[in-house]
Every structure is written in structure tokens, then in C-alpha cells.
């Protein structure tokens, strides 16, 4: 366990390396600024639009993606996962041809793990995947704090890929600061963990909340506003999540009444086997690449299922009541 957790690293494997941050969005803008503050040489690659202008306003030299990669010895690929395969094939790969030991960094394992991006064998292929949105990264760094990342090495062409990956984790402000930790992992593990949350407890939570709303309103005559405020609109859910992160999933229960603790523990053990079976099925579909193929085909078809399900969700009575309540509360 201890070997897989790293709290600090040496930046020297990246000194003298020009790093191209490709994509100046959520993660790109946050990571580029922190890398520069860490004293590293950073340029930005983007398409010519408002993100390009923002990067220039933030004081970076900005180039079209192929030129930025051409000028660098390493690239942080921070465009959305859906467009990464095409951006990599058309704009990154041609610019690293013939360059030995080029450092390719991904912030998520998905495309490499499932074979949508296949980097050349003479490149170092690493992952520094923040467990946090770009805004959170910036916010913590402004307070002198680090944040958790999963780090992985898919290809070690230079023989120093782990050192370079951990140096990147330090450069982007994840480690070497209070609260920061890098966990040694892999592209495959990161993709599995990321998708497991998205395919299990998040939708099960959404389904449970919607079922609670529907039953309370339709079968017990509860007012929609009371149900929404109880189930999520009050923000209590966010407080519980914060306490889970700070104190632990079971320990935080001490903040709730004993009636609440008894109800939660009895039902937790009652449903565990059923939920575990569901999780095993979803994890198997992720690990085998079945989900990645499903999503790829859905995108190729123009996302008909995705669009229909979004419509269904927006048209549900819960969404309509939420709209009314949020307008009354001036949240919309
Ligand atoms: P964003 O959606 O914020 O990235 C937008 C950037 O990608 C912009 O610079 C945009 O430029 C560029 N871009 C979008 N489409 C294209 C395209 N077709 N060609 C070229 N550039 C394009 O992405 P995120 O920061 O959210 O995600 C980046 C990576 O970080 C992903 O791998 C993601 O999984 C990972 N990650 C994201 C987290 C998050 O909080 N969002 C958390 C942890 C990891 P323009 O619009 O100008 O074309």
C-alpha cells in the first residue's frame, strides 16, 4: 500500500522540457497556469477561438495544435475524451513522428485503455488524472494545497517514464503540497474506477431519488417542493458527501440521529448483495470494453439514444417540479 502512495517528487526530469498543453478548457487552463508557476516551460495548443484568446490573455504563447506539439518535447492532452482520438490522429501524432522519448500525458485513462488512441512505441505514455474538476484544482492551488491524482505509465520508452509522470504530478500542483497525494495506478484501473461510479452508484442514487419523489408525491400526496427539498434541493446531500470525504463513509453517520443510523445500517446490509450483483455486471462490461464499444457506436450514429434519454429526463414530472421550485428560489 505504502509504495503506491506518493506525496512528493522531483521536478528535475522535466527541467529543460517544453510542455505543450493541448486544449485550454477546464483542466488545460488550470494545469497550464500551475505548471508555469512551478517554473516549467509551457506553451498552449488550441484551435483559433475564444479559448485561444483566453490563453493569450493569460500570458501564454499559443499555437495551432500541430505546431505547439512540434515545438515541444512533451504534451498534456487535455481535450474532451470524445474528440481525443481524432485530435490525436490528425493533430498530435504527425508532429511527434521521429521524436524519441516524447512525453504524452493524459488526464484520463479511457482512450488509451480501450484502444481508441494508440501512441507510437517510441513515446513515454503517462497519465496524471486529477480526482477533481479544473476549478477545484485552481481553487486548492490558490490556497497552497495539493489534490489527489491517479498516476499511470502505459509505455516507458525513455526508461524514466515514472519519474517524468510523478514530476508532472508535482508540476500541476497535485503533490508536494498539503493535502496532495498521487496514487500509482494504471490507465485501465483509472478507466474502470471512473466508469464504475458513473454506471453504478450515481445512476442508482438518481433512480432512488426519483423513485422516492414519485412515491411520496403520487402515492402519499406529499407536496413536490417538500419532497425535492428533502431529497436533494436543500444541499444536505452535499454536506453528507463532504463529511464522507473528511471523516469516512460510516464515521460521518455519527452526525445523524440514532434512528437515522439504525435505518441506514439495516437497509445497507439488506440491499448489499443485490447491489453487489449489479456492480459486478457493470464492472465486467467496462473491463471487457463492451461499454466503450457501445458508446463509440452511439456517437457514430449521432447519439439517438443519448438524446432520447435526456429528453425523457427533462420531461419527467420531477424535472418540471424542480424547475418551478428553483425559479421560486431564484436559482434559475
Ligand atoms: P474541456 O471540455 O474543458 O476542454 C475543452 C478544450 O478542448 C478546449 O480548449 C477546446 O477548444 C478543446 N477542444 C474541444 N473539442 C476540440 C476539437 N474537436 N479539436 C481540438 N480541440 C478541441 O475538457 P476537460 O478539461 O473537461 O477535459 C480534458 C481532459 O481532462 C479529459 O481527458 C478529461 O477526461 C480529463 N479530466 C477532466 C476533468 C474535469 O473536471 N472536467 C476531471 C479530471 C480529468 P475549443 O473549444 O476552442 O475547440
Amino acid at each position: 500500500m505504502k509504495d503506491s502512495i506518493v506525496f512528493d517528487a522531483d521536478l528535475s526530469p522535466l527541467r529543460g522540457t517544453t510542455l505543450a498543453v493541448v486544449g485550454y478548457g477546464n483542466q488545460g487552463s488550470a494545469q497550464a497556469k500551475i505548471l508555469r508557476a512551478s517554473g516549467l516551460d509551457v506553451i498552449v495548443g488550441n484551435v483559433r477561438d475564444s479559448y485561444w484568446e483566453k490563453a493569450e490573455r493569460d500570458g501564454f504563447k499559443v499555437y495551432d495544435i500541430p505546431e505547439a506539439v512540434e515545438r515541444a518535447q512533451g504534451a498534456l492532452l487535455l481535450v474532451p475524451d470524445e474528440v481525443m482520438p481524432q485530435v490525436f490522429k490528425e493533430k498530435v501524432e504527425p508532429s511527434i513522428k521521429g521524436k524519441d522519448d516524447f512525453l504524452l500525458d493524459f488526464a484520463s485513462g479511457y482512450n488509451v485503455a480501450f484502444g481508441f488512441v494508440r501512441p507510437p512505441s517510441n513515446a513515454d505514455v503517462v497519465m496524471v488524472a486529477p480526482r477533481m474538476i479544473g476549478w477545484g484544482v485552481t481553487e486548492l492551488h490558490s490556497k497552497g494545497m495539493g489534490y489527489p491524482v491517479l498516476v499511470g505509465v502505459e509505455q516507458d520508452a525513455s526508461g524514466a517514464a515514472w519519474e517524468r509522470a510523478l514530476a508532472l504530478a508535482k508540476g500541476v500542483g497535485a503533490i508536494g503540497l498539503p493535502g496532495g497525494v498521487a496514487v500509482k495506478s494504471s490507465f485501465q484501473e483509472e478507466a474502470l474506477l471512473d466508469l464504475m461510479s458513473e454506471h453504478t452508484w450515481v445512476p442508482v442514487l438518481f433512480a432512488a431519488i426519483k423513485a422516492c419523489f414519485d412515491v411520496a408525491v403520487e402515492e402519499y400526496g406529499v407536496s413536490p417542493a417538500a419532497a425535492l427539498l428533502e431529497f436533494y434541493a436543500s444541499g444536505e446531500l452535499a454536506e453528507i458527501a463532504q463529511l464522507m470525504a473528511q471523516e469516512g463513509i460510516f464515521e460521518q453517520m455519527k452526525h445523524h440521529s440514532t434512528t437515522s443510523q439504525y435505518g441506514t445500517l439495516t437497509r445497507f446490509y439488506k440491499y448489499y448483495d443485490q447491489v453487489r450483483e449489479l456492480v459486478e455486471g457493470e464492472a465486467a462490461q467496462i473491463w471487457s470494453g463492451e461499454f466503450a464499444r457501445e458508446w463509440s457506436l452511439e456517437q457514430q450514429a449521432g447519439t439517438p439514444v443519448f438524446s432520447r434519454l435526456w429528453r425523457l429526463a427533462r420531461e419527467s414530472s420531477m424535472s418540471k417540479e424542480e424547475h418551478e421550485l428553483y425559479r421560486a428560489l431564484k436559482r434559475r
Side-chain angles (χ1 to χ4, degrees):
M1 179 80 167
K2 274 192 196 128
D3 287 345
S4 66
I5 295 184
V6 181
F7 293 101
D8 203 357
D10 185 3
L11 269 181
S12 58
L14 294 180
R15 299 251 182 245
T17 301
T18 298
L19 295 168
V21 170
V22 173
Y24 201 71
N26 290 314
Q27 289 293 332
S29 58
Q31 295 194 22
K33 285 186 230 168
I34 302 175
L35 284 168
R36 181 175 60 188
S38 300
L40 296 168
D41 182 23
V42 186
I43 59 175
V44 170
N46 208 82
V47 290
R48 285 176 186 267
D49 64 5
S50 59
Y51 285 99
W52 173 299
E53 287 160 19
K54 183 171 181 298
E56 277 189 335
R57 277 200 307 278
D58 288 341
F60 289 104
K61 285 191 178 138
V62 192
Y63 305 93
D64 289 320
I65 294 171
E67 187 179 352
V69 177
E70 186 74 52
R71 286 172 173 269
Q73 293 82 47
L76 288 82
L77 302 179
L78 300 174
V79 298
D81 291 333
E82 304 82 69
V83 302
M84 186 80 79
Q86 197 189 355
V87 171
F88 185 80
K89 205 164 188 47
E90 294 173 4
K91 299 184 172 174
V92 176
E93 199 168 17
S95 297
I96 61 174
K97 256 209 167 74
K99 283 187 178 182
D100 279 337
D101 302 340
F102 193 89
L103 177 64
L104 285 170
D105 168 65
F106 294 81
S108 107
Y110 191 90
N111 281 301
V112 171
F114 297 120
F116 297 116
V117 168
R118 295 182 189 277
S121 59
N122 61 342
D124 277 356
V125 181
V126 308
M127 174 189 74
V128 177
R131 309 331 287 162
M132 180 143 313
I133 59 173
W135 181 84
V137 164
T138 305
E139 179 77 0
L140 282 171
H141 193 258
S142 72
K143 294 180 183 154
M145 307 267 297
Y147 52 94
V149 284
L150 292 192
V151 179
V153 170
E154 182 73 9
Q155 263 178 212
D156 186 0
S158 69
W162 271 109
E163 289 79 358
R164 295 174 98 189
L166 291 169
L168 262 184
K170 175 155 175 127
V172 298
I175 55 175
L177 291 168
V181 59
V183 181
K184 287 186 175 176
S185 180
S186 68
F187 283 66
Q188 291 72 22
E189 277 182 15
E190 195 276 339
L192 174 73
L193 295 175
D194 202 32
L195 295 174
M196 272 179 88
S197 294
E198 293 160 9
H199 296 192
T200 62
W201 68 263
V202 176
V204 168
L205 178 68
F206 282 18
I209 288 175
K210 183 167 180 326
C212 283
F213 176 87
D214 290 344
V215 170
V217 173
E218 291 166 17
E219 297 180 23
Y220 293 87
V222 172
S223 88
L228 289 170
L229 285 164
E230 170 59 29
F231 298 137
Y232 65 90
S234 68
E236 187 188 7
L237 195 58
E239 284 165 9
I240 294 173
Q242 187 68 39
L243 286 168
M244 279 163 66
Q246 281 164 357
E247 300 182 13
I249 187 165
F250 294 121
E251 291 305 313
Q252 63 80 28
M253 287 199 303
K254 289 184 299 204
H255 296 282
H256 306 271
S257 69
T258 45
T259 310
S260 155
Q261 293 172 29
Y262 173 78
T264 297
L265 283 174
T266 49
R267 272 61 186 170
F268 167 73
Y269 283 107
K270 181 175 162 190
Y271 296 129
Y272 178 80
D273 289 345
Q274 264 170 282
V275 173
R276 182 170 172 138
E277 204 175 308
L278 178 155
V279 169
E280 281 174 353
E282 292 296 335
Q285 283 188 27
I286 296 166
W287 196 248
S288 67
E290 195 180 328
F291 170 76
R293 281 190 293 279
E294 173 194 322
W295 177 221
S296 177
L297 287 172
E298 169 72 2
Q299 288 176 90
Q300 284 167 35
T303 64
V305 175
F306 185 46
S307 309
R308 184 169 57 79
L309 295 177
W310 250 117
R311 220 171 24 251
L312 210 62
R314 284 209 175 98
E315 286 169 1
S316 67
S317 61
M318 187 170 80
S319 287
K320 288 182 178 156
E321 294 293 352
E322 178 196 271
H323 188 67
E324 290 305 308
L325 177 67
Y326 283 20
R327 271 195 356 181
L329 296 174
K330 306 220 182 316
R331 293 182 190 169
R332 285 195 185 147

